[in-house]
Amino acid sequence: MKKETLKKLFMILCLIGVLVSIYLVYNHYAIGDSACDISADVSCSYVNSSIYSELFNVPVAVFGALWFVFMYLFFVKNADSHLLEIWSVLGVLFVIYMIVAEFLLGAICPFCTVVHVIVLMLFYLLFYLLL
């Protein structure tokens, strides 16, 4: 693929990540079932209301949304490549933490998984584009 196409894909993935993260913030505070509550083991509500769903009393999805916003801004503003690399690695490390949390809970959040996949795709795309 052409680098210009990959850059557009990168920006679109950032925007999708923000939107999914915003939905997860909404779901964190919503009363009732989520659109992705399929079973006890596949439930956004269960994962998004667990002890792992907040950091410093802030829903982790807020940090996810901010991560995507800053990744988009850093990318569009042609920030230093080291800043982009560090930001991307921090995102991957947080995804690993969240996957471990889901494993410990014995449940998976489909929308969280979408966010995880997008972060990993952005990580790959970033390093591909920087080469």
Coordinates of all heavy atoms in Angstrom, one line a residue, residues 60-129:
V60 N -10.8 3.9 32.9 CA -9.7 3.7 32.0 C -10.0 4.1 30.5 O -9.1 4.5 29.8 CB -9.1 2.3 32.1 CG1 -8.5 2.0 33.4 CG2 -10.1 1.2 31.7
A61 N -11.3 4.0 30.2 CA -11.7 4.4 28.8 C -11.4 5.9 28.6 O -11.2 6.3 27.4 CB -13.1 4.1 28.6
V62 N -11.5 6.7 29.6 CA -11.1 8.1 29.4 C -9.6 8.2 29.0 O -9.3 9.0 28.1 CB -11.4 8.9 30.7 CG1 -10.8 10.3 30.7 CG2 -12.8 9.0 31.0
F63 N -8.8 7.5 29.7 CA -7.4 7.5 29.3 C -7.2 6.9 27.9 O -6.4 7.4 27.1 CB -6.5 6.6 30.3 CG -6.5 7.2 31.7 CD1 -7.2 6.6 32.7 CD2 -5.8 8.4 31.9 CE1 -7.1 7.1 34.0 CE2 -5.8 8.9 33.2 CZ -6.5 8.3 34.2
G64 N -8.0 6.0 27.5 CA -8.0 5.4 26.1 C -8.3 6.5 25.1 O -7.7 6.7 24.1
A65 N -9.4 7.2 25.4 CA -9.9 8.3 24.5 C -8.8 9.3 24.4 O -8.5 9.8 23.2 CB -11.2 8.9 24.9
L66 N -8.2 9.7 25.5 CA -7.1 10.8 25.4 C -5.9 10.2 24.7 O -5.3 11.0 24.0 CB -6.8 11.2 26.9 CG -7.8 12.0 27.6 CD1 -7.4 12.2 29.0 CD2 -8.0 13.3 26.9
W67 N -5.6 9.0 24.9 CA -4.4 8.4 24.2 C -4.6 8.5 22.7 O -3.7 8.9 22.0 CB -4.2 6.9 24.6 CG -3.0 6.3 24.0 CD1 -1.8 6.3 24.5 CD2 -2.9 5.6 22.8 NE1 -0.9 5.7 23.7 CE2 -1.6 5.2 22.6 CE3 -3.8 5.2 21.8 CZ2 -1.1 4.5 21.5 CZ3 -3.4 4.5 20.7 CH2 -2.1 4.2 20.5
F68 N -5.8 8.1 22.2 CA -6.1 8.2 20.8 C -6.1 9.7 20.3 O -5.6 9.9 19.2 CB -7.5 7.6 20.4 CG -7.5 6.1 20.4 CD1 -8.1 5.4 21.4 CD2 -6.7 5.4 19.5 CE1 -8.1 4.0 21.4 CE2 -6.7 4.0 19.5 CZ -7.4 3.3 20.5
V69 N -6.6 10.6 21.0 CA -6.6 12.0 20.6 C -5.2 12.5 20.5 O -4.8 13.1 19.5 CB -7.4 12.9 21.7 CG1 -7.1 14.4 21.4 CG2 -8.9 12.6 21.6
F70 N -4.4 12.2 21.5 CA -3.0 12.7 21.4 C -2.2 11.9 20.3 O -1.3 12.6 19.7 CB -2.3 12.6 22.8 CG -2.6 13.7 23.7 CD1 -3.6 13.5 24.7 CD2 -2.0 14.9 23.5 CE1 -3.9 14.6 25.5 CE2 -2.4 16.0 24.4 CZ -3.3 15.8 25.4
M71 N -2.5 10.7 20.1 CA -1.8 9.9 19.1 C -2.1 10.6 17.7 O -1.2 10.8 16.9 CB -2.2 8.5 19.1 CG -1.5 7.7 17.9 SD 0.3 7.6 18.0 CE 0.5 6.1 18.9
Y72 N -3.4 10.9 17.5 CA -3.8 11.6 16.3 C -3.1 12.9 16.1 O -2.6 13.3 15.1 CB -5.3 11.8 16.3 CG -5.9 12.5 15.1 CD1 -6.3 11.7 14.0 CD2 -6.0 13.8 15.0 CE1 -6.8 12.3 12.9 CE2 -6.6 14.4 13.9 CZ -6.9 13.7 12.8 OH -7.4 14.3 11.7
L73 N -3.1 13.7 17.2 CA -2.5 15.1 17.2 C -1.0 15.0 16.9 O -0.4 15.7 16.1 CB -2.8 15.9 18.4 CG -4.2 16.3 18.6 CD1 -4.4 16.9 20.0 CD2 -4.7 17.2 17.5
F74 N -0.3 14.1 17.6 CA 1.1 13.9 17.4 C 1.4 13.5 16.0 O 2.4 14.0 15.4 CB 1.7 12.8 18.3 CG 1.7 13.2 19.8 CD1 1.7 12.2 20.8 CD2 1.7 14.5 20.3 CE1 1.7 12.5 22.1 CE2 1.7 14.8 21.6 CZ 1.7 13.8 22.5
F75 N 0.6 12.6 15.4 CA 0.8 12.1 14.1 C 0.5 13.2 13.1 O 1.3 13.4 12.1 CB -0.1 10.9 13.8 CG 0.2 10.2 12.5 CD1 1.3 9.4 12.4 CD2 -0.7 10.4 11.4 CE1 1.5 8.8 11.2 CE2 -0.5 9.8 10.2 CZ 0.6 9.0 10.1
V76 N -0.6 13.9 13.2 CA -0.9 15.0 12.2 C 0.0 16.1 12.3 O 0.4 16.7 11.2 CB -2.4 15.5 12.5 CG1 -2.7 16.7 11.7 CG2 -3.4 14.3 12.2
K77 N 0.5 16.5 13.5 CA 1.5 17.6 13.6 C 2.9 17.2 13.4 O 3.8 18.0 13.6 CB 1.3 18.2 15.0 CG 0.0 18.8 15.3 CD -0.3 20.0 14.5 CE -1.7 20.6 14.9 NZ -2.0 21.7 14.1
N78 N 3.1 16.0 12.9 CA 4.5 15.5 12.6 C 5.4 15.6 13.8 O 6.5 16.2 13.7 CB 5.1 16.2 11.4 CG 4.3 15.8 10.1 OD1 4.0 14.6 9.9 ND2 4.1 16.8 9.3
A79 N 4.9 15.2 14.9 CA 5.7 15.2 16.1 C 7.0 14.4 16.0 O 7.1 13.6 15.1 CB 4.9 14.7 17.3
D80 N 7.9 14.7 16.9 CA 9.2 13.9 16.9 C 8.9 12.4 16.9 O 8.0 12.0 17.6 CB 10.0 14.3 18.1 CG 11.3 13.6 18.2 OD1 12.1 13.7 17.3 OD2 11.4 12.8 19.2
S81 N 9.6 11.7 16.0 CA 9.3 10.2 15.9 C 9.5 9.5 17.2 O 8.8 8.5 17.5 CB 10.2 9.6 14.8 OG 11.5 9.7 15.1
H82 N 10.4 10.0 18.1 CA 10.7 9.3 19.4 C 9.4 9.5 20.3 O 9.1 8.6 21.0 CB 11.9 9.9 20.0 CG 13.2 9.5 19.3 ND1 13.6 8.2 19.0 CD2 14.1 10.3 18.7 CE1 14.7 8.3 18.4 NE2 15.0 9.5 18.1
L83 N 8.8 10.7 20.2 CA 7.6 10.9 21.0 C 6.5 9.9 20.5 O 5.8 9.3 21.4 CB 7.1 12.3 20.9 CG 5.8 12.7 21.5 CD1 5.9 12.5 23.0 CD2 5.4 14.1 21.2
L84 N 6.3 9.8 19.2 CA 5.3 8.9 18.7 C 5.6 7.4 19.1 O 4.7 6.7 19.5 CB 5.3 9.0 17.2 CG 4.5 10.2 16.6 CD1 4.8 10.4 15.1 CD2 3.0 9.9 16.8
E85 N 6.9 7.1 19.0 CA 7.3 5.7 19.4 C 7.0 5.4 20.9 O 6.4 4.4 21.2 CB 8.8 5.5 19.1 CG 9.1 5.4 17.7 CD 10.6 5.5 17.4 OE1 11.4 5.6 18.3 OE2 10.9 5.5 16.2
I86 N 7.4 6.4 21.7 CA 7.1 6.2 23.2 C 5.6 6.2 23.5 O 5.2 5.3 24.2 CB 7.8 7.3 24.0 CG1 9.4 7.2 23.9 CG2 7.4 7.4 25.4 CD1 10.1 8.4 24.4
W87 N 4.9 7.1 22.9 CA 3.4 7.1 23.1 C 2.8 5.8 22.6 O 1.9 5.2 23.3 CB 2.8 8.3 22.3 CG 1.5 8.6 22.8 CD1 0.3 8.5 22.0 CD2 1.1 9.2 24.0 NE1 -0.8 8.9 22.8 CE2 -0.3 9.3 24.0 CE3 1.7 9.5 25.2 CZ2 -1.1 9.8 25.1 CZ3 1.0 10.0 26.2 CH2 -0.4 10.2 26.2
S88 N 3.3 5.3 21.5 CA 2.7 4.0 21.0 C 3.1 2.8 21.9 O 2.2 2.0 22.2 CB 3.3 3.8 19.6 OG 2.7 2.6 19.0
V89 N 4.3 2.8 22.4 CA 4.7 1.7 23.3 C 3.9 1.8 24.6 O 3.5 0.8 25.2 CB 6.2 1.8 23.6 CG1 6.6 0.9 24.7 CG2 7.0 1.4 22.3
L90 N 3.7 3.0 25.1 CA 2.8 3.1 26.3 C 1.4 2.6 26.1 O 0.9 1.9 27.0 CB 2.8 4.6 26.8 CG 4.0 5.2 27.4 CD1 3.9 6.7 27.6 CD2 4.4 4.5 28.7
G91 N 0.9 2.8 24.9 CA -0.4 2.3 24.6 C -0.4 0.8 24.6 O -1.3 0.1 25.1
V92 N 0.6 0.2 24.0 CA 0.7 -1.3 23.9 C 0.8 -1.9 25.3 O 0.2 -2.9 25.7 CB 1.8 -1.7 23.0 CG1 2.1 -3.2 23.2 CG2 1.5 -1.4 21.6
L93 N 1.6 -1.2 26.2 CA 1.8 -1.7 27.5 C 0.5 -1.6 28.3 O 0.2 -2.5 29.1 CB 2.9 -0.9 28.3 CG 4.3 -1.1 27.8 CD1 5.3 -0.1 28.5 CD2 4.7 -2.6 28.0
F94 N -0.3 -0.6 28.1 CA -1.6 -0.5 28.8 C -2.5 -1.5 28.3 O -3.3 -2.1 29.0 CB -2.2 0.9 28.6 CG -3.2 1.2 29.7 CD1 -2.8 1.5 31.0 CD2 -4.5 1.2 29.4 CE1 -3.8 1.7 32.0 CE2 -5.5 1.5 30.3 CZ -5.1 1.7 31.6
V95 N -2.5 -1.8 27.0 CA -3.3 -2.9 26.4 C -3.0 -4.2 27.1 O -3.9 -5.0 27.4 CB -3.2 -3.0 24.9 CG1 -3.7 -4.3 24.3 CG2 -3.9 -1.8 24.2
I96 N -1.7 -4.5 27.2 CA -1.3 -5.7 27.9 C -1.8 -5.8 29.3 O -2.4 -6.8 29.7 CB 0.3 -5.8 27.9 CG1 0.8 -6.1 26.5 CG2 0.7 -7.0 28.8 CD1 2.3 -5.9 26.3
Y97 N -1.8 -4.7 30.0 CA -2.3 -4.6 31.4 C -3.8 -4.9 31.3 O -4.3 -5.7 32.2 CB -2.1 -3.2 32.0 CG -2.9 -2.9 33.2 CD1 -2.6 -3.5 34.4 CD2 -4.1 -2.1 33.1 CE1 -3.4 -3.3 35.6 CE2 -4.9 -1.9 34.2 CZ -4.5 -2.5 35.5 OH -5.3 -2.2 36.5
M98 N -4.6 -4.4 30.4 CA -6.0 -4.6 30.3 C -6.3 -6.0 29.9 O -7.3 -6.6 30.4 CB -6.6 -3.6 29.3 CG -6.6 -2.1 29.8 SD -7.1 -1.8 31.5 CE -8.8 -2.4 31.5
I99 N -5.5 -6.6 29.1 CA -5.8 -8.0 28.7 C -5.5 -8.9 29.9 O -6.3 -9.9 30.1 CB -4.9 -8.4 27.5 CG1 -5.4 -7.7 26.2 CG2 -4.9 -9.9 27.3 CD1 -4.4 -7.8 25.0
V100 N -4.5 -8.6 30.7 CA -4.3 -9.4 31.9 C -5.5 -9.2 32.8 O -5.9 -10.2 33.5 CB -2.9 -9.0 32.6 CG1 -2.8 -9.6 34.0 CG2 -1.8 -9.4 31.7
A101 N -6.0 -8.0 33.0 CA -7.1 -7.8 33.8 C -8.3 -8.6 33.4 O -9.0 -9.2 34.2 CB -7.5 -6.3 33.8
E102 N -8.6 -8.6 32.1 CA -9.7 -9.4 31.6 C -9.5 -10.9 31.9 O -10.4 -11.6 32.2 CB -9.9 -9.2 30.1 CG -10.5 -7.9 29.7 CD -10.7 -7.7 28.2 OE1 -9.8 -8.2 27.4 OE2 -11.7 -7.0 27.8
F103 N -8.2 -11.4 31.7 CA -7.9 -12.8 32.1 C -8.2 -13.0 33.5 O -8.8 -14.0 33.9 CB -6.4 -13.0 31.7 CG -6.0 -14.4 32.1 CD1 -6.3 -15.5 31.3 CD2 -5.2 -14.6 33.2 CE1 -6.0 -16.8 31.6 CE2 -4.8 -15.9 33.6 CZ -5.2 -17.0 32.8
L104 N -7.8 -12.1 34.4 CA -8.0 -12.3 35.8 C -9.5 -12.3 36.2 O -10.0 -13.0 37.1 CB -7.3 -11.2 36.6 CG -5.8 -11.3 36.6 CD1 -5.2 -10.1 37.3 CD2 -5.3 -12.6 37.3
L105 N -10.3 -11.5 35.5 CA -11.7 -11.4 35.7 C -12.4 -12.6 35.1 O -13.6 -13.0 35.5 CB -12.3 -10.2 35.0 CG -12.0 -8.8 35.7 CD1 -12.4 -7.7 34.8 CD2 -12.6 -8.7 37.0
G106 N -11.8 -13.3 34.1 CA -12.5 -14.4 33.4 C -13.5 -14.0 32.5 O -14.5 -14.7 32.2
A107 N -13.4 -12.7 32.0 CA -14.4 -12.2 31.1 C -13.7 -11.3 30.1 O -12.6 -10.8 30.3 CB -15.5 -11.4 31.9
I108 N -14.4 -11.1 28.9 CA -13.8 -10.3 27.9 C -14.9 -9.3 27.5 O -16.1 -9.5 27.5 CB -13.4 -11.2 26.7 CG1 -12.6 -10.3 25.7 CG2 -14.6 -11.9 26.0 CD1 -12.0 -11.2 24.6
C109 N -14.4 -8.1 27.2 CA -15.2 -7.0 26.7 C -15.0 -6.8 25.2 O -13.9 -6.4 24.8 CB -14.8 -5.7 27.5 SG -15.5 -4.2 26.8
P110 N -16.0 -7.1 24.4 CA -15.7 -7.0 22.9 C -15.3 -5.6 22.5 O -14.4 -5.5 21.6 CB -17.1 -7.4 22.3 CG -17.7 -8.3 23.4 CD -17.3 -7.7 24.7
F111 N -15.9 -4.6 23.0 CA -15.5 -3.2 22.6 C -14.1 -2.9 23.1 O -13.4 -2.2 22.4 CB -16.5 -2.2 23.1 CG -17.8 -2.1 22.2 CD1 -19.0 -2.4 22.8 CD2 -17.8 -1.9 20.9 CE1 -20.2 -2.4 22.1 CE2 -18.9 -1.9 20.1 CZ -20.1 -2.1 20.7
C112 N -13.8 -3.4 24.2 CA -12.4 -3.2 24.7 C -11.4 -3.9 23.8 O -10.4 -3.4 23.5 CB -12.2 -3.8 26.1 SG -13.3 -3.0 27.4
T113 N -11.8 -5.1 23.3 CA -11.0 -5.8 22.4 C -10.8 -5.0 21.1 O -9.7 -5.1 20.5 CB -11.6 -7.2 22.1 OG1 -11.7 -7.9 23.4 CG2 -10.7 -8.0 21.2
V114 N -11.8 -4.4 20.6 CA -11.7 -3.5 19.5 C -10.6 -2.4 19.7 O -9.8 -2.2 18.9 CB -13.1 -2.9 19.1 CG1 -12.9 -1.8 18.0 CG2 -14.0 -3.9 18.6
V115 N -10.7 -1.8 20.9 CA -9.7 -0.8 21.2 C -8.3 -1.4 21.2 O -7.3 -0.9 20.7 CB -10.0 -0.1 22.6 CG1 -8.9 0.7 23.1 CG2 -11.3 0.7 22.4
H116 N -8.2 -2.6 21.8 CA -6.9 -3.3 21.9 C -6.3 -3.5 20.5 O -5.1 -3.3 20.2 CB -7.0 -4.6 22.7 CG -7.5 -4.5 24.0 ND1 -8.0 -5.5 24.8 CD2 -7.6 -3.4 24.9 CE1 -8.4 -5.1 26.0 NE2 -8.2 -3.8 26.0
V117 N -7.1 -4.0 19.6 CA -6.7 -4.3 18.3 C -6.3 -3.0 17.5 O -5.3 -3.0 16.8 CB -7.8 -5.1 17.5 CG1 -7.5 -5.2 16.0 CG2 -8.0 -6.5 18.1
I118 N -7.0 -2.0 17.7 CA -6.7 -0.7 17.1 C -5.4 -0.2 17.6 O -4.5 0.2 16.8 CB -7.8 0.3 17.3 CG1 -9.1 -0.1 16.5 CG2 -7.3 1.7 16.8 CD1 -10.3 0.8 16.8
V119 N -5.1 -0.3 18.9 CA -3.8 0.2 19.4 C -2.7 -0.6 18.8 O -1.7 -0.1 18.4 CB -3.8 0.1 21.0 CG1 -2.4 0.3 21.5 CG2 -4.8 1.1 21.6
L120 N -2.9 -2.0 18.7 CA -1.8 -2.8 18.1 C -1.6 -2.5 16.6 O -0.5 -2.5 16.2 CB -2.1 -4.3 18.4 CG -2.1 -4.7 19.8 CD1 -2.6 -6.1 20.0 CD2 -0.8 -4.5 20.4
M121 N -2.7 -2.2 15.9 CA -2.6 -1.9 14.5 C -1.9 -0.6 14.4 O -1.0 -0.4 13.5 CB -4.0 -1.8 13.9 CG -4.7 -3.2 13.7 SD -6.4 -3.0 13.1 CE -6.1 -2.4 11.4
L122 N -2.2 0.4 15.2 CA -1.5 1.7 15.1 C 0.0 1.5 15.5 O 0.8 2.2 14.8 CB -2.1 2.7 16.1 CG -3.5 3.2 15.7 CD1 -4.1 4.0 16.8 CD2 -3.5 4.0 14.4
F123 N 0.3 0.7 16.4 CA 1.7 0.4 16.8 C 2.4 -0.1 15.5 O 3.5 0.4 15.2 CB 1.7 -0.6 17.9 CG 3.1 -1.0 18.3 CD1 3.9 -0.2 19.2 CD2 3.6 -2.2 17.9 CE1 5.2 -0.6 19.6 CE2 4.9 -2.6 18.3 CZ 5.7 -1.8 19.1
Y124 N 1.9 -1.1 14.9 CA 2.5 -1.7 13.7 C 2.6 -0.6 12.6 O 3.6 -0.5 11.9 CB 1.7 -2.9 13.2 CG 2.2 -3.4 11.9 CD1 3.3 -4.2 11.8 CD2 1.5 -3.1 10.7 CE1 3.8 -4.7 10.6 CE2 2.0 -3.6 9.5 CZ 3.1 -4.3 9.4 OH 3.6 -4.8 8.2
L125 N 1.5 0.1 12.3 CA 1.5 1.1 11.2 C 2.5 2.2 11.5 O 3.2 2.6 10.5 CB 0.1 1.7 11.1 CG -0.9 1.0 10.3 CD1 -2.3 1.7 10.4 CD2 -0.5 0.9 8.8
L126 N 2.6 2.6 12.7 CA 3.6 3.7 13.0 C 5.0 3.3 12.7 O 5.7 4.0 12.0 CB 3.4 4.1 14.5 CG 4.4 5.1 14.9 CD1 4.1 6.5 14.3 CD2 4.4 5.3 16.4
F127 N 5.3 2.1 13.2 CA 6.7 1.6 12.9 C 7.0 1.3 11.4 O 8.0 1.6 10.9 CB 7.1 0.5 13.8 CG 7.4 0.9 15.2 CD1 6.4 1.0 16.2 CD2 8.6 1.4 15.6 CE1 6.6 1.4 17.5 CE2 8.9 1.9 16.9 CZ 7.8 1.9 17.8
Y128 N 5.9 0.9 10.7 CA 6.0 0.7 9.3 C 6.2 2.0 8.6 O 7.1 2.2 7.7 CB 4.8 0.0 8.8 CG 4.9 -0.3 7.3 CD1 5.6 -1.4 6.8 CD2 4.2 0.6 6.4 CE1 5.6 -1.6 5.4 CE2 4.3 0.3 5.0 CZ 5.0 -0.7 4.5 OH 5.1 -1.0 3.2
L129 N 5.5 3.0 9.0 CA 5.6 4.3 8.3 C 6.9 5.1 8.7 O 7.3 5.9 7.9 CB 4.4 5.2 8.8 CG 3.0 4.8 8.2 CD1 1.9 5.5 8.8 CD2 3.0 5.1 6.7

